[in-house]
Amino acid sequence: MAKKKEKKIDLNNLEPSEMAKYEIAAELGLLDKVLEYGWKSLTSKETGRIGGMVTKKKRERKDA
């Protein structure tokens, strides 16, 4: 089975929702891991924490 080609991530050209994920990953100290190995390298606990924080930020923006 052929491996998928991993595309390089350009942090300067991301949609706002994608950018939020990367910002939170950076806050949690996981950005280097994500950039080197991809999102699939994170544990479910790490992924859940990022997802929860993204949801929290979205709610805060909606309330403001």
Side-chain angles (χ1 to χ4, degrees):
M1 186 188 281
K3 280 189 169 182
K4 286 185 179 180
K5 285 189 178 180
E6 296 292 327
K7 61 180 179 177
K8 292 289 181 183
I9 299 166
D10 182 9
L11 294 176
N12 297 319
N13 296 322
L14 294 174
E15 294 180 20
S17 60
E18 282 289 307
M19 193 61 189
K21 288 194 318 189
Y22 286 98
E23 288 172 357
I24 292 169
E27 289 175 20
L28 297 175
L30 299 170
L31 184 59
D32 292 334
K33 186 176 179 181
V34 170
L35 293 176
E36 188 170 346
Y37 303 109
W39 292 104
K40 64 185 175 189
S41 67
L42 299 179
T43 65
S44 58
K45 184 177 181 178
E46 292 166 336
T47 304
R49 178 171 273 183
I50 291 171
M53 292 177 76
V54 167
T55 301
K56 183 178 176 183
K57 279 190 174 188
K58 283 183 181 178
R59 284 187 187 147
E60 289 172 355
R61 283 189 214 138
K62 193 173 185 179
D63 291 340

